[in-house]
Structure formats: C-alpha cells, structure tokens
C-alpha cells in the first residue's frame, strides 16, 4: 500500500506539531543569563529546519509564535499580545526566519560542512533579528535604553557560545537523522 496524499499531509502536521511542542519545552529549559535567558529553543528550531525543511520547519516555529501571541504562556517569559513589546521578541522572529534559512540551505545532498553552514546561517539571522529588535524596542518604544556595547555583551557574547555548541550538535544529529526521515 502506498502512502496517499492524506497520509503525507497527516505526517507533516504531526511533525510540525511535534516540533511546536519541542520548541515550547525548550523555552522552559533555561540557563539564567542577564537580559536574555539562554534556552533550548534554538536547538529545536534548528532541528525543525534540518528535519522538516524550510517550509514545514518555519511553519512549526511560526505556529509556536502565534500560539504565544494569542495568549498561551509558552515563551521564555510568558505570552500574550503584549509580548511583542518585550525586547527579546525579536529572537522569536529570528527563530522563524532562521529556521527557514537553515532548512533551505540544508536541502539536497547532506554533508557536515553544509549542515554547519545552514545552522550557523540560521544562528546569525536569529541574533541579528533579536539584537536589532531589542535595540529598537528598548531605545525607542518602551524607554529602557541600551547602548551598543551592553547589547552586544548581553544579547550576543554571553549567549552565543552555547548556541555554537548547539549548531555543531545539530549538524551531527542532522547528518544521522535526515537520511532516515527522507527514506520514511
């Protein structure tokens, strides 16, 4: 019996739902760092891009963001429509865009080098979105100014070492898991 169109759509929805839940769980696994907490969300958004691809992976992350905005307390510091004024909301935007980039770059032939490029590209997009948003919201919207050096220190230098390790781990996991999922 061959897999029909319905089965394929069902499989995609289940996988997207699984990653939406994993990203939610990752938000609650925190390492306290000043200003922006280090969470495992990036681990699961990166794996969503690698394993589900650009479209489905970013859709799973987008679903997570929408669920948080409509009021479910699933972000690292809560949820609700007002969360868009939280300076760290830019990282959530970065997760969506970074997951898409990770999935797009990792398409085709699989190699550790290509997966590392995909993961680090997604990481860069996430940090650029997060830091720009943090700077604009803090300095021009909610009147909690932050200078460039503290922004760079707290929103990049303190958090990025863990995310670099995550990029490497995800590349090796992706190298093993992508062929399995493609065969299935």
């Amino acid at each position: 019996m061959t897999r029909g169109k319905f089965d394929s759509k069902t499989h995609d929805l289940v996988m997207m739902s699984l990653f939406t839940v994993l990203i939610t769980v990752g938000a609650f696994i925190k390492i306290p760092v000043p200003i922006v907490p280090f969470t495992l969300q990036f681990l699961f958004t990166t794996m969503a891009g690698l394993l589900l691809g650009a479209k489905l992976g970013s859709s799973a992350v987008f679903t997570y963001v929408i669920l948080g905005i409509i009021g479910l307390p699933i972000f690292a510091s809560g949820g609700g429509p007002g969360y868009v004024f939280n300076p760290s909301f830019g990282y959530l935007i970065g997760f969506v865009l970074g997951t898409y980039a990770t999935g797009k770059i990792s398409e085709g032939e699989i190699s550790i080098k290509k997966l590392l490029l995909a993961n680090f590209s997604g990481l860069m997009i996430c940090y650029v979105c997060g830091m720009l948003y943090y700077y604009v919201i803090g300095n021009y919207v909610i009147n909690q100014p932050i200078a460039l050096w503290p922004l760079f220190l707290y929103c990049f230098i303190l958090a990025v070492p863990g995310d670099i390790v995550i990029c490497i781990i995800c590349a090796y996991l992706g190298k093993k898991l992508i062929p399995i999922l493609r065969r299935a």
Side-chain angles (χ1 to χ4, degrees), residues 78-108:
Y83 204 87
V84 297
F85 296 109
N86 184 322
S88 67
F89 185 76
Y91 290 95
L92 297 171
I93 296 168
F95 287 152
V96 175
L97 299 175
T99 299
Y100 185 85
T102 298
K104 202 67 171 162
I105 294 168
S106 66
E107 289 176 354

Side-chain angles (χ1 to χ4, degrees), residues 38-103:
F38 178 82
T39 69
L40 289 185
Q41 291 167 296
F42 180 68
L43 169 72
F44 297 117
T45 60
T46 301
M47 290 306 295
L50 293 177
L51 300 180
L52 302 182
K55 185 179 174 187
L56 292 178
S58 60
S59 294
V61 180
F62 184 74
T63 300
Y64 165 75
V65 172
I66 294 300
L67 290 171
I69 289 173
I70 63 172
L72 295 177
I74 59 175
F75 297 146
S77 300
Y83 204 87
V84 297
F85 296 109
N86 184 322
S88 67
F89 185 76
Y91 290 95
L92 297 171
I93 296 168
F95 287 152
V96 175
L97 299 175
T99 299
Y100 185 85
T102 298

Side-chain angles (χ1 to χ4, degrees), residues 154-173:
Y154 293 119
C155 297
F156 182 76
I157 293 175
L158 293 177
V160 81
D163 287 333
I164 289 171
V165 171
I166 286 173
C167 284
I168 295 166
I169 290 169
C170 287
Y172 283 94
L173 285 172

Side-chain angles (χ1 to χ4, degrees), residues 79-144:
Y83 204 87
V84 297
F85 296 109
N86 184 322
S88 67
F89 185 76
Y91 290 95
L92 297 171
I93 296 168
F95 287 152
V96 175
L97 299 175
T99 299
Y100 185 85
T102 298
K104 202 67 171 162
I105 294 168
S106 66
E107 289 176 354
E109 191 173 324
I110 305 163
S111 71
I112 291 294
K113 186 176 178 179
K114 185 175 183 180
L115 295 177
L116 285 170
L117 174 66
N119 296 349
F120 282 111
S121 297
L123 178 66
M124 182 65 72
I125 290 168
C126 183
Y127 273 93
V128 167
C129 289
M131 291 172 61
L132 283 173
Y133 195 90
Y134 198 105
Y135 185 81
V136 169
I137 290 293
N139 287 312
Y140 302 109
V141 178
I142 62 172
N143 198 28
Q144 291 179 354

